[in-house]
Amino acid sequence: MTTTRSSAQRGFPKGRRIAATLLVSTLAGTALVACGADAKGSQPAKASGRSLDGTAGDAEITWGECPALAEGRTRDPRLACGTLTVPLDYQNPGGEKIDLAVSRLSTAKPGKRRGVLLLNPGGPALGGLDMPGTMASALPKSVLNRYDLIGFDPRGVEHSTPQSCGLRDPGVAGLFPYPAADGSITKNVALAKAAAEQCADTVGENLRYYSTANTARDMDRVRQALGEKKISYWGQSYGTYLGAVYRSLFQDRTDRMVLEGNVDPTKVWADLVADTWGKGMADRFPDAARVAAAQASTLELGTNVEQVTRTYLALADRLDRTPAAIPGTSVSLDGALLRNMTYALLLHNDNLPALTQFWKAADNLSDGSTTAADLAVLKEVFADTPLSPGVPADNQATMFMALTCGDAEWPRDIDGYAARTAADREKWPLTAGMPANIWACAYWDKPAEPTVKVAKGGPRNTLILQNRRDNATPWEGAVGLHKSLGAGSALVGVDNGGHYVYGEGSACADKATLGFLATGHLPDKDVYCTDVTQK
């Protein structure tokens, strides 16, 4: 659940962008196992320097035009796209095939070129075809001269054999299980079971192969098709887990790796959500509350962080009990939607003023005192955003479930979920018990393969970038990833809020990032940057 630099909006994320901004801090992903079919727990053949069918991976990509964009979107005109065919199941490489959409922005200069920089925006389940164009505008020549930028839509996502469960509510936000106003999870249990059964009935067994491990194997097929001995990689959010899995499966093919906004690979995925999300929100929320307090005379939400927090919690509780219809739209604002929009807008510091305006408008809506200005804010927040042609409306939600449910098995004890939700609700009121609640994953069969164990050590070639107050992938995720990788990584932490590190006001972090990509030099020891200048 995250935005990317390519999808992030300054101001209000609209309509389907809410789904793009929500990542269970990024849950990470993999394949969902259809209900009722007990998957074998065997580990697939270990990836080697050759394709798993014993032949060299010599498939080529024919470059041409890219798929049509959603209305109103633009892309770098230099971007070229192509399709690569890969196995659905790498244990059966001669079986069913799927298509992988790949993009390339040729930026490297002769005599300076090191290789390719493969990019992933996270999600889980965000498309990445246009990420090279966005990153090209954010990176200096010292990096662009060294790498051609490569993007791709991960398997099952957008233009890579897109999957759809036919969900009635197509947004990822609808999957987040906020309890009822009284804390009951009865409705959550029913919705989780229904979503799991819908995917099992609609997509079936094949969805279990749309996993993080197989996506990493796809990345190596891209490497082979490009004729590269190694690839460098920049992954954001969920993409940090994908990068760590690739590094573990293909350590000898990994060059320089930047991981930004990080997932702890030992907590995939139920523990990650339950253990860190409530604290992450508690750490980040005061940044927005301070912005609201500074405008106390106009917003009237409180004069300090504590007062603003109490106002927000009271508002969420009122909307839990009595949702408020937004005039002129089909949207009814309830507590879950308030919390989801708050989560989304907290991902970027630039969005904090807009978030406080949204709180004010929601508060007035709940009290029946909405002004014309409030209605303008609410309509902008919830305006529809056109979909990409050919991509199912519920594609991200489908693949979000596939990934979060399939990388590792989730608990199945309903009473246990109820008890944990009640405790979490009391400890972290801002998230209202949602992170510990039951997800559709409780009704999936065992994953198709064991969770990939992230390998410690290896070449010292991985830079971990992390903000101290990241509500999507909290600080603890970076600490856990760094511990898992050991001496193979260096951590650059930043005293900042939000989900992105590079280009967000820390010259210290930017210098470390660009120096590493250009020269391969990692900081000799972990760094904590305190030089943030807000835009």
Side-chain angles (χ1 to χ4, degrees):
M1 338 173 184
T2 109
T3 62
T4 69
R5 289 189 175 89
S6 57
S7 65
Q9 304 295 317
R10 293 298 182 251
F12 297 111
K14 299 178 182 178
R16 192 165 174 265
R17 288 188 202 128
I18 298 175
T21 57
L22 296 171
L23 136 171
V24 252
S25 205
T26 62
L27 292 182
T30 177
L32 160 138
V33 180
C35 291
D38 190 9
K40 296 180 181 179
S42 60
Q43 179 77 33
K46 184 178 180 180
S48 65
R50 300 175 70 83
S51 299
L52 296 185
D53 60 0
T55 61
D58 56 358
E60 295 182 355
I61 301 172
T62 300
W63 300 104
E65 293 188 4
C66 296
L69 289 165
E71 183 181 351
R73 295 286 300 277
T74 61
R75 67 162 45 105
D76 192 311
R78 300 171 295 170
L79 195 71
C81 294
T83 301
L84 180 66
T85 300
V86 298
L88 172 67
D89 175 11
Y90 277 90
Q91 292 189 84
N92 182 24
E96 185 174 344
K97 301 294 192 297
I98 59 174
D99 290 333
L100 197 70
V102 185
S103 63
R104 178 181 68 185
L105 194 60
S106 299
T107 50
K109 300 301 181 184
K112 296 183 178 180
R113 186 183 190 275
R114 181 175 182 84
V116 298
L117 181 62
L118 187 67
L119 305 167
N120 179 268
L126 289 178
L129 278 188
D130 285 289
M131 195 172 175
T134 304
M135 293 302 291
S137 66
L139 294 171
K141 289 184 178 179
S142 61
V143 173
L144 297 177
N145 289 347
R146 303 283 279 165
Y147 303 95
D148 292 322
L149 305 182
I150 305 297
F152 72 108
D153 287 345
R155 59 168 51 207
V157 174
E158 297 207 356
H159 303 287
S160 291
T161 311
Q163 300 299 297
S164 169
C165 291
L167 300 172
R168 181 175 299 178
D169 181 352
V172 171
L175 301 176
F176 288 9
Y178 284 97
D182 62 359
S184 169
I185 71 167
T186 301
K187 185 177 180 180
N188 302 125
V189 171
L191 290 174
K193 186 176 182 181
E197 291 177 347
Q198 174 77 11
C199 284
D201 292 343
T202 305
V203 183
E205 285 284 317
N206 280 358
L207 198 55
R208 66 203 299 258
Y209 301 112
Y210 289 85
S211 67
T212 297
N214 279 338
T215 302
R217 296 175 182 120
D218 293 342
M219 288 166 53
D220 202 59
R221 287 295 180 98
V222 172
R223 176 196 63 78
Q224 294 177 62
L226 295 173
E228 302 289 338
K229 293 182 178 180
K230 294 185 177 184
I231 56 171
S232 292
Y233 175 84
W234 190 323
Q236 300 167 343
S237 198
Y238 158 75
T240 65
Y241 178 64
L242 175 60
V245 169
Y246 181 85
R247 186 184 187 278
S248 297
L249 293 178
F250 303 99
Q251 195 168 94
D252 61 338
R253 304 172 197 173
T254 304
D255 194 11
R256 298 167 184 171
M257 182 168 282
V258 176
L259 305 179
E260 179 184 19
N262 296 273
V263 168
D264 184 342
T266 68
K267 293 180 177 290
V268 177
W269 291 108
D271 288 343
L272 178 74
V273 183
D275 292 351
T276 68
W277 215 1
K279 184 177 184 299
M281 180 62 78
D283 289 343
R284 174 59 166 158
F285 188 88
D287 290 342
R290 276 186 283 273
V291 174
Q295 304 174 71
S297 61
T298 55
L299 295 179
E300 300 178 323
L301 298 173
T303 60
N304 55 47
V305 169
E306 292 74 19
Q307 289 181 5
V308 173
T309 303
R310 286 197 295 271
T311 299
Y312 175 84
L313 291 173
L315 171 61
D317 182 68
R318 289 201 308 275
L319 291 172
D320 277 337
R321 299 175 189 282
T322 309
I326 300 174
T329 76
S330 60
V331 177
S332 185
L333 181 61
D334 60 11
L337 195 51
L338 173 79
R339 296 182 186 98
N340 282 334
M341 180 54 68
T342 296
Y343 174 95
L345 289 170
L346 284 172
L347 296 174
H348 288 275
N349 286 327
D350 289 356
N351 288 339
L352 299 187
L355 174 57
T356 63
Q357 294 172 34
F358 169 63
W359 288 344
K360 175 62 174 177
D363 195 45
N364 287 346
L365 180 71
S366 176
D367 286 342
S369 57
T370 312
T371 66
D374 294 330
L375 287 177
V377 168
L378 293 169
K379 288 180 179 180
E380 184 179 0
V381 169
F382 297 111
D384 289 331
T385 298
L387 300 173
S388 297
V391 178
D394 71 333
N395 176 241
Q396 193 197 359
T398 294
M399 288 304 303
F400 180 94
M401 286 192 293
L403 292 169
T404 56
C405 297
D407 276 342
E409 190 172 8
W410 286 56
R412 300 172 186 273
D413 176 18
I414 294 176
D415 289 340
Y417 279 110
R420 286 189 294 272
T421 298
D424 193 72
R425 185 177 173 86
E426 183 175 354
K427 185 176 183 180
W428 307 113
L430 287 168
T431 47
M434 182 275 291
N437 203 352
I438 190 168
W439 296 65
C441 306
Y443 292 96
W444 254 260
D445 285 343
K446 293 180 180 179
E449 62 178 290
T451 304
V452 174
K453 182 175 177 56
V454 169
K456 181 171 289 190
R460 195 165 185 271
N461 62 356
T462 302
L463 178 66
I464 297 172
L465 298 175
Q466 182 68 40
N467 282 334
R468 187 64 185 83
R469 301 181 306 284
D470 181 343
N471 60 297
T473 49
W475 175 262
E476 290 75 13
V479 173
L481 177 59
H482 189 27
K483 183 178 179 180
S484 294
L485 295 179
S489 63
L491 172 63
V492 173
V494 183
D495 183 17
N496 199 6
H499 195 38
Y500 300 96
V501 178
Y502 174 75
E504 294 297 322
S506 172
C508 163
D510 291 354
K511 181 179 179 181
T513 304
L514 299 177
F516 170 59
L517 287 174
T519 69
H521 174 71
L522 282 176
D524 295 331
K525 59 182 180 180
D526 295 344
V527 176
Y528 191 68
C529 301
T530 59
D531 65 336
V532 174
T533 301
Q534 300 297 346
K535 298 177 182 178

